[in-house]
Structures are given as C-alpha cells and as structure tokens.
Amino acid sequence: MAGPVLEMRSIVKTFPGVKALSDVTLTVRQGEVHAICGENGAGKSTLMKVLSGVHPHGSYEGDVLFEGETCRFKDIRASEQHGIVIIHQELALVPYLSIAENIFLGNEQATRGVISWNETLRKATELMRRVGLHEHPHTRVADIGVGKQQLVEIAKALSKKVKLLVLDEPTAALNDEDSGELLTLLAELQSQGMTSIIISHKLNEIRRVADSVTILRDGRTIETLDVKAAETTEDRIISGMIGRDLDHRFPERTPHRSETSAAPALEIRDWTVHHPIDQQRRVVDGVSINVRRGEIVGIAGLMGAGRTELAMSVFGRTYGRYAGGTVLKDGREIRTKTVPEAVAHGIAYVTEDRKHYGLNLDDTIGRNISLSGLGNVARRGIVDEHEERKVAERFRKSMNIKTPNVAERVSKLSGGNQQKVVLSKWIFVEPDVLFLDEPTRGIDVGAKFEIYTVIDKLAAEGKAVLFISSELPELLGMCDRIYTMAAGRLTGEFSRAEATQDVLMRQMTKDKEVTR
C-alpha cells in the first residue's frame, strides 16, 4: 500500500466565538481518491482552506505535511506551487473570457511579459483533450454548461502541474449525466497517478469513486473508513456523520390532503411559456397541474424538462415570455403577472439557486428572514428592528438554524443553514402554496431530514406544496402524487402507490404528452 502524500495533524481553527475545527487529523495516501463527508458545518471546507492557504499558517494550530515536508502556506499561491490545487463549489472562472484564457488565468504563457497565444492555444488544446472537453479553446466560458465549466477548472488545475487535486462538492450543480462523466474523469486521472480529495454529500458517488472516506462531525475527525470494505455501508457513513442511526431517510408521512370535492388550492391550466431569447421555442408547453391543501405534489424531469421554468413563470412571470394559460386559487382565477401579485395571492417560491436569487449574502440572517414580509415588522413604513429580531429568533429556534446570533451575515452559514433561512423567509409570509425548487440541493443527509420534516409539517398545517427535485428517491419518499415532465410537456401523473423510479424515468424521457 502506498504511503501518505498528505498528513494533517491535530488541526485546530477558531473563529470569534466558534471553534470550527478541533484536533482534526487527516491522512491521504499517494494515488488514492479520498472522500471527506460530514454534515453542513462539520468543518470540511474549513479544513481544505487550511490545507490550501486560504487560512494561512499562524491562523490555526497543528501541522500540515505534504510529501513528507512540513508546510507553512501563507496563501493559495504558496500551496499551488507545491502542487495542491482546490476547486471550490463556486467556480472561479471569468464567464466572458475564452476557455483557453481561463485555463491559464494567473498562469499566463508569456515571455518577458508578452503572452504567446500560439503556446496558450496549443497547451489549452492538449489539456482540454485530456479532460474530455471537445469545445474550441476560443469558446467563451459563458457559452458552455456547468458540467463543462467543471472540466475547464480541472484543466486549469492540470496546467499548474497538480499533485493533489481537491474538489469541493464538484457535482452539486450537475445533472446525472455530467456527474457521471466527471466521476469517470476522476477515475482516469487516478489511473495516471493523480491523488484527489473529494468533498461530497452524495454517498452513492463516494462509494463509486473513493478508496477511503474520512467522516467529520462538529469540527472533529470521527473515523476514516475503507470504502471497499463490506462493513462500509451508506448507513454506517450516515451514522458517523450525524452521530446517530438514521432508520428512515424521510419522516413518516401521513397524507393530509383536503377533501377531493374542494377546489384545488392551486390549479394551473394549459400554461405555455416561450424562451426569453428564442421566442419560437416553447419551454413550457400546455402544462396543466393542480395541488390541494395538505398535499405534497412532486414534479420530476431531467435537465431542460421545464420544471423550474414552470414555477418561475407562474411566480410573477420571472422567466420567459408568457404565451397562454390560467392560474386558479381555490377555484377562482387570479393574476400573477408580478411577484408582489403572486405573494399577495399566497404563493411563495423557494428558488433552486439560494446564493443568487434566494438570499442577500451581504446582509444579516434576521434581515434575510424578514425581507419577503417587511410590512409585517414595520410601523408607518419604518422597520421595527426589535420586532424583526424577535421574528428571526423565533425561526432560528423553530428551524434549528445553527448560528450564535441572527445578526451574523448569512454568508457565514453552511449550505443547509442557508437553506433554512430561505425557507424561513417564505414561511414568514404565511403562504397557502409553496413551490420548492430543489430544496435540499447541496446539503447533507442530516439537514435534509430536518428540511423534510419542515415540509411535512407545512403540509400538515394545510399548505399546498409543489416539490421540484432531480432526486427521484426524494420525490418518492415525500410526495403524495408526482407529475413527470419532458421537453416542456407533461408526460404523466402518478399516485404514491403507482410511482416507482423505473416508471418515472420512462415518462421523464418521453417527448410527447401522455393523457391519463
């Protein structure tokens, strides 16, 4: 067995009022893919920031040894000079520069300060071929998908003669096909001698690609396991992550659907939306769905099926060009042409992209929670900060948002806790109907269960929930009914008893409407 290429010994990292890492130890062997997993806030990203020099030597306790040498990195450039390159979940690419320019950004192929574009293009082409990226090197990064952007980041890392590649949640924003291709690339790089660390919440991916997995909990190392060993099951990893056995991935669900004789809480009839640029293209094509009070209704579909476009266009027409259709609330037609109109009618939308559309990352937790209903904490047009803080504290406790103070900036929270803030923001306005778009994307199994419990409670209170998710087990575990979409069209509707992964996938890959 190969010896260690990386050792992190007794790492302690403290922020004001918070000990993020406490005596963490990590050993990575030469040539392996080593996974790190743990709940949001367990310290995974903080540990990698210590390794990469984001948190420089002197700001933490403990030792970092790479290739047997004690390292005292003062910044990222110092760690990269040793061959340690980290790819963060938020990609560090410039969208309006070309692929080639991004690959060598900060590492330009220059002689005496003059860039050699021939050399840049030649080397970029070689690196792109190595990672399986078949675009032209002059293509702008803004014009390729997120999956291909990940490949640009890996090519960029390879250009720096990387010895240890660290990927932080590399597949969080990818569809299944792109995720599979990225994991295949990791295996190919490993066969060429590359050592990698992958941080992921997706346990099936860890079992597929990793050799070892280190589990962190509350800033401490719990254990390191051999992924290939028979006893290293998903349940064993989950138990280590959350400190208890998770007998059920989803809360016990008792459907709370209102009387079928009552009008649906929300009904969408023959809804059609055109693409915002290509106005001949229908991204939502004659879709009709409904959801009753107390019901959780899922919407399943592959990337590009039109699920998010449907939700956004109904919620204040925030996507595309409206081409037809009606929205009814409790049997009466309503107007939702603007977001304030939709909110006034009791409709809320939890976006799939919390960092860009769901939160103001530069503001406090308290202000983010109150943003959707400032009128509820204002007197004569002036926000009552004491009342705002009381509301935020109530949600901090009821949603179990892990923070010492609601006056903290929301950017300091882990992904799972940020998602709880987004949910709190919309629950605060007491909506009747909630669109939940990928509400558990990028968060760990423990935080997922907490959010599932919140969703189930909302349904029990009589809310109508439309649940969009790319994870079929999640829809099957949470929903009373599931609609399937493909290419902007509705392709099926299934009760809880009828739905299986095979049935849903067949309908999700159809290209024309199926009538029940």
Side-chain angles (χ1 to χ4, degrees), residues 274-289:
H274 289 173
H275 191 276
I277 299 174
D278 181 2
Q279 297 193 359
Q280 301 303 309
R281 177 182 157 206
R282 294 185 177 187
V283 291
V284 181
D285 191 358
V287 170
S288 297
I289 65 174

Side-chain angles (χ1 to χ4, degrees), residues 77-317:
R77 185 175 291 275
S79 65
E80 289 185 347
Q81 287 173 348
H82 279 71
I84 300 170
V85 179
I86 183 167
I87 299 175
H88 296 280
Q89 187 173 348
E90 288 80 27
L91 303 181
L93 300 174
V94 180
Y96 299 111
L97 293 182
S98 69
I99 293 172
E101 287 170 318
N102 270 280
I103 287 174
F104 292 106
L105 190 62
N107 183 31
E108 286 77 9
Q109 303 305 289
T111 303
R112 297 177 182 175
V114 178
I115 294 175
S116 170
W117 291 110
N118 287 336
E119 189 72 1
T120 298
L121 293 174
R122 184 184 68 79
K123 289 186 176 180
T125 301
E126 290 177 359
L127 291 165
M128 291 167 65
R129 187 182 301 117
R130 186 175 175 189
V131 301
L133 187 58
H134 304 297
E135 310 295 314
H136 193 283
H138 283 312
T139 303
R140 293 190 317 167
V141 161
D143 296 330
I144 60 176
V146 177
K148 291 179 179 178
Q149 289 178 14
Q150 284 279 12
L151 299 181
V152 175
E153 280 280 21
I154 293 174
K156 185 177 178 180
L158 295 177
S159 76
K160 300 172 182 176
K161 297 182 172 54
V162 59
K163 298 177 182 177
L164 174 61
L165 180 64
V166 182
L167 301 104
D168 190 352
E169 297 289 353
T171 65
L174 304 187
N175 60 32
D176 290 342
E177 182 180 356
D178 287 342
S179 295
E181 291 177 358
L182 180 60
L183 296 176
T184 299
L185 174 59
L186 275 183
E188 291 175 0
L189 292 174
Q190 182 184 23
S191 71
Q192 299 167 17
M194 178 73 71
T195 306
S196 302
I197 295 175
I198 179 171
I199 299 173
S200 180
H201 292 122
K202 299 181 180 180
L203 302 187
N204 60 324
E205 293 182 356
I206 289 175
R207 290 185 60 79
R208 171 179 167 180
V209 75
D211 301 295
S212 305
V213 56
T214 293
I215 301 169
L216 301 184
R217 185 172 74 239
D218 297 330
R220 297 177 181 273
T221 303
I222 300 303
E223 58 184 340
T224 296
L225 302 171
D226 178 353
V227 172
K228 310 304 180 188
E231 62 271 18
T232 308
T233 62
E234 287 193 12
D235 286 344
R236 169 73 182 275
I237 296 172
I238 291 169
S239 177
M241 288 169 59
I242 65 178
R244 63 185 188 280
D245 292 328
L246 192 59
D247 297 327
H248 303 286
R249 301 284 180 92
F250 306 96
E252 291 292 338
R253 170 130 182 86
T254 302
H256 306 288
R257 180 174 170 171
S258 61
E259 293 296 326
T260 55
S261 58
L266 184 74
E267 186 174 3
I268 302 166
R269 293 181 181 172
D270 199 26
W271 195 257
T272 301
V273 177
H274 289 173
H275 191 276
I277 299 174
D278 181 2
Q279 297 193 359
Q280 301 303 309
R281 177 182 157 206
R282 294 185 177 187
V283 291
V284 181
D285 191 358
V287 170
S288 297
I289 65 174
N290 66 77
V291 57
R292 297 181 181 276
R293 293 184 184 275
E295 200 178 23
I296 301 176
V297 173
I299 305 178
L302 301 175
M303 293 288 286
R307 302 164 303 161
T308 293
E309 292 82 355
L310 171 65
M312 291 182 68
S313 58
V314 170
F315 186 69
R317 301 189 188 172

Side-chain angles (χ1 to χ4, degrees), residues 392-410:
E393 280 293 338
R394 186 175 80 237
F395 279 104
R396 182 182 71 84
K397 293 174 182 176
S398 65
M399 298 288 282
N400 192 28
I401 300 171
K402 295 176 181 176
T403 177
N405 193 326
V406 295
E408 290 280 354
R409 285 197 308 172
V410 77

